[in-house]
Amino acid sequence: DAKNLEPFIRALRAQQNQVEQAWAFFLVQWLCAFALDPNFAGACGVVWVLARMAYGYIYRVNPSRNKLMWATVPAYLALTLCCGGILVGCLMSWPPLKLSRGVAIAVASSFCVLFGIYGWFVYRPWFGSFVLAEKKRQEGQLMSSSEGD
């Protein structure tokens, strides 16, 4: 019975999502700890782990997109901050630039904010329309295949 499998499928999907994202985050976290500051990278790691735990719980209990954002956004913010930390470390240590810490943080923060704006206002709407178009295409294929039976 499919209804009895739903909790297992949700838990499996949450676990798969965790595995898909963990390797990338931890790699970026380690690079941030090396390039900038282990304490900063560790704090980002705590935020990321707590957010991913919340994601797994919310996804199993009530996987509405609005509720999942409360766990997804902090996790992506932690990832973005670690990427910014890597950028700050590189800007401060690259010989041709050797920027001061304040200037490097300003440049990295600007880059991260621009990336977030692009993701929210350009990529997210594009991807949403892509998913809807693909869903309609697949529904059309299902309808045409069921009509042929």
Side-chain angles (χ1 to χ4, degrees):
D1 175 58
K3 193 68 175 166
N4 291 335
L5 281 177
E6 189 174 344
F8 171 76
I9 291 170
R10 284 186 182 176
L12 181 62
R13 175 66 187 115
Q15 189 271 341
Q16 286 174 325
N17 191 279
Q18 178 82 0
V19 170
E20 290 166 3
Q21 294 190 17
W23 70 270
F25 175 77
F26 290 126
L27 176 64
V28 168
Q29 182 189 25
W30 293 331
L31 290 172
C32 178
F34 176 74
L36 184 66
D37 181 24
N39 293 323
F40 177 76
C44 290
V46 168
V47 169
W48 188 85
V49 167
L50 292 174
R52 297 308 303 164
M53 288 170 58
Y55 178 90
Y57 175 76
I58 293 168
Y59 193 83
R60 285 190 306 274
V61 173
N62 184 0
S64 78
R65 180 170 278 178
N66 292 334
K67 290 184 180 172
L68 286 173
M69 293 296 285
W70 288 101
T72 303
V73 170
Y76 284 138
L77 180 61
L79 178 62
T80 303
L81 288 172
C82 279
C83 290
I86 294 168
L87 187 56
V88 168
C90 291
L91 290 172
M92 288 181 356
S93 63
W94 191 40
L97 291 178
K98 282 286 193 185
L99 297 177
S100 69
R101 187 176 183 94
V103 172
I105 289 172
V107 170
S109 298
S110 300
F111 182 77
C112 290
V113 166
L114 288 173
F115 183 74
I117 289 169
Y118 166 79
W120 190 260
F121 292 108
V122 177
Y123 180 76
R124 189 179 62 89
W126 171 82
F127 188 73
S129 63
F130 174 78
V131 168
L132 285 176
E134 183 63 18
K135 202 181 240 185
K136 287 179 182 177
R137 187 185 69 77
Q138 288 180 358
E139 286 172 356
Q141 285 180 344
L142 288 173
M143 294 298 225
S144 64
S145 68
S146 66
E147 290 170 0
D149 290 340

